[in-house]
Amino acid sequence: MDIGGYIRLQRSHAKISLRQLSRLAGVSNPYLSQIERGLRKPSAEILQQIANGLRISAEALYVQAGILDHPVGGPVVEAVHADTRLTERQKQVLLDIYGSFLRENESEVGAAPGTDDTDTRGPGVTGSTAKE
C-alpha cells in the first residue's frame, strides 16, 4: 500500500474527514488530497504533521513512506503490523501486551536475556534504521 492509501485508511479508521485532518495537521486541503491520491510525495516533516493530526506514530508513516525500514520481529509482530483492520494505537497495545507475556514467560523459565530476537515494539523504536 502506498503512503497516500495508508493515510486515507488511517483517516477512515479515525472517522475524520479530509478537511478535518487538513486542519488538525496544518496541511492544506488540496495538498493533503494530492498526497492521498498519490500525486505528491510528502516530506518527513509533513508526515510528522499528518501523524499528529491522526494521533498515530510518525514512525508508522515513515515506514509506509519508505523513510524507515520495517521493524524487526517474528510472525506475530509481522501479522499485527500487516493487519489493516487495526488502528496504529490498537497495534501498539497488542504488541505491548504480547511483549509483556514474552518477558513474563522468559523470567518464569529462567531464560537468558537476549535469547529472543523478537522485537515487539512499534516501528522506528528499535531495529529500524533510516535509509540513506
Side-chain angles (χ1 to χ4, degrees):
M1 175 180 298
D2 68 345
I3 186 62
Y6 185 77
I7 291 169
R8 186 174 33 256
L9 180 66
Q10 294 304 312
R11 184 172 57 77
S12 174
H13 283 307
K15 295 181 173 73
I16 58 176
S17 70
L18 185 69
R19 192 173 305 268
Q20 288 171 313
L21 178 56
S22 169
R23 192 172 46 249
L24 291 169
V27 176
S28 77
N29 192 45
Y31 185 60
L32 187 56
S33 175
Q34 290 172 347
I35 292 170
E36 284 195 359
R37 290 182 287 140
L39 301 175
R40 297 278 186 144
K41 185 174 178 180
S43 67
E45 182 179 323
I46 296 295
L47 289 174
Q48 174 69 52
Q49 290 174 242
I50 292 170
N52 289 341
L54 290 170
R55 294 186 179 190
I56 63 173
S57 73
E59 289 83 7
L61 292 183
Y62 295 160
V63 168
Q64 288 296 319
I67 295 171
L68 290 178
D69 292 332
H70 286 277
V72 176
V76 172
V77 175
E78 290 174 15
V80 170
H81 282 297
D83 196 330
T84 59
R85 297 167 298 178
L86 300 172
T87 67
E88 287 303 314
R89 180 165 163 36
Q90 290 168 334
K91 290 176 185 182
Q92 191 57 55
V93 169
L94 280 173
L95 293 175
D96 288 346
I97 292 169
Y98 178 66
S100 71
F101 286 152
L102 291 178
R103 288 186 296 278
E104 180 181 318
N105 290 344
E106 283 177 355
S107 66
E108 285 179 6
V109 295
T115 58
D116 184 347
D117 64 352
T118 304
D119 186 351
T120 60
R121 290 170 282 193
V125 175
T126 297
S128 296
T129 58
K131 290 187 175 179
E132 300 187 14

